[in-house]
């Protein structure tokens, strides 16, 4: 049974690409609408995949969303919303943390979705902080495209080859550039751990 939160409440939905984060965010937002809660969703302007004005999952689930570039602008747009959804939170500048804190302080239910790790397997943007602050975290898994086991990592492929560790972190895309992989099949050429460097 879903817990009923009192006052502000922060939920984080995270995991690798193709794990169903946006689908789960949309599911929760639709349920909030059924419960007659004033509901609004935001996404970073950078993410124009599928639709500029909606959060859309790889499988086609969607919910209208306001594209914003600066997280502080979000505070000016929430009006009387009781439930606030934020997709692709890893792309927002660090101000997103204070914006989310302010929303919960104002008593909102905030549902944040985003990638925990980038293609290198390193924590992505403000997601680690948002996960630490969360009242509730859902970490979703995908299926490894190589072996069919549980996938927790995102493989970036450039011309069919694993992207190198020093490639730029941001590359908006979907199936043409990314696959879900398990820990065994996740490859990042050039990745070393500082502690064990010669
Ligand atoms: P998704 O989590 O909804 O599948 O979308 C993740 C977005 O993040 C997608 O546009 C690809 C992008 N991305 C990066 O920019 N860098 C990365 O390292 C990874 C894994 C994804
Ligand atoms: Mg998504």
């Amino acid at each position: 049974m879903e817990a009923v939160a009192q006052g502000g409440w922060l939920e984080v939905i995270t995991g690798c690409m193709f794990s169903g984060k946006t689908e789960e965010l949309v599911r929760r937002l639709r349920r909030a609408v059924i419960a007659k809660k004033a509901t609004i969703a935001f996404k970073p302007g950078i993410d124009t995949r599928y639709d500029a004005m909606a959060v859309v999952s790889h499988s086609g689930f969607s919910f209208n969303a306001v594209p914003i570039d600066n997280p502080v602008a979000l505070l000016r747009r929430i009006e009387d919303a009781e439930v606030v959804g934020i997709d692709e939170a890893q792309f927002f500048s660090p101000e997103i943390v204070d914006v989310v804190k302010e929303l919960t302080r104002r008593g909102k239910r905030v549902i944040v979705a985003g990638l925990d790790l980038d293609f290198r397997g390193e924590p992505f943007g403000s997601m680690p902080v948002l996960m630490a602050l969360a009242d509730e975290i859902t970490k979703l898994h995908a299926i490894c495209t190589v072996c069919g086991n549980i996938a927790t990592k995102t493989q970036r492929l450039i011309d069919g080859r694993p992207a190198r560790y020093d490639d730029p972190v941001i590359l908006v895309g979907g199936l043409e550039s990314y696959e879900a992989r398990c820990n065994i099949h996740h490859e990042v050429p050039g990745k070393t751990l500082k502690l064990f460097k010669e």
Side-chain angles (χ1 to χ4, degrees), residues 144 146-147 149-150 153 155 181-187:
C144 176
V146 177
C147 69
N149 284 319
I150 297 284
K153 304 291 182 297
Q155 180 70 53
R181 296 276 181 98
C182 68
N183 289 334
I184 291 174
H185 293 116
H186 182 240
E187 292 175 70

Side-chain angles (χ1 to χ4, degrees), residues 114-142:
L115 286 170
D116 48 356
L117 302 171
D118 62 26
F119 77 97
R120 305 169 305 171
E122 305 288 0
F124 207 154
S126 298
M127 286 301 291
V129 178
L130 293 169
M131 288 164 72
L133 292 168
D135 294 294
E136 186 191 306
I137 300 182
T138 305
K139 187 149 172 166
L140 297 171
H141 302 136

Side-chain angles (χ1 to χ4, degrees), residues 15-22 46-50 56-58 87-88 90-91 113-115 117-122 124 153-156 168-174 177-178:
C16 59
M17 285 183 72
F18 313 108
S19 63
K21 299 181 298 298
T22 303
I46 174 183
D47 178 20
T48 51
R49 291 174 309 163
Y50 307 120
V56 184
S57 76
H58 296 289
D87 201 12
E88 304 286 357
Q90 77 277 354
F91 284 145
L115 286 170
L117 302 171
D118 62 26
F119 77 97
R120 305 169 305 171
E122 305 288 0
F124 207 154
K153 304 291 182 297
T154 306
Q155 180 70 53
R156 181 186 289 171
V169 170
I170 295 185
L171 172 69
V172 172
S177 319
Y178 293 101

Side-chain angles (χ1 to χ4, degrees), residues 83-94:
V83 178
V84 180
I86 304 172
D87 201 12
E88 304 286 357
Q90 77 277 354
F91 284 145
F92 284 115
S93 57

Side-chain angles (χ1 to χ4, degrees), residues 104-121:
T104 54
R105 194 190 65 78
R106 292 188 199 172
K108 316 278 180 208
R109 174 182 173 201
V110 183
I111 314 172
V112 169
L115 286 170
D116 48 356
L117 302 171
D118 62 26
F119 77 97
R120 305 169 305 171

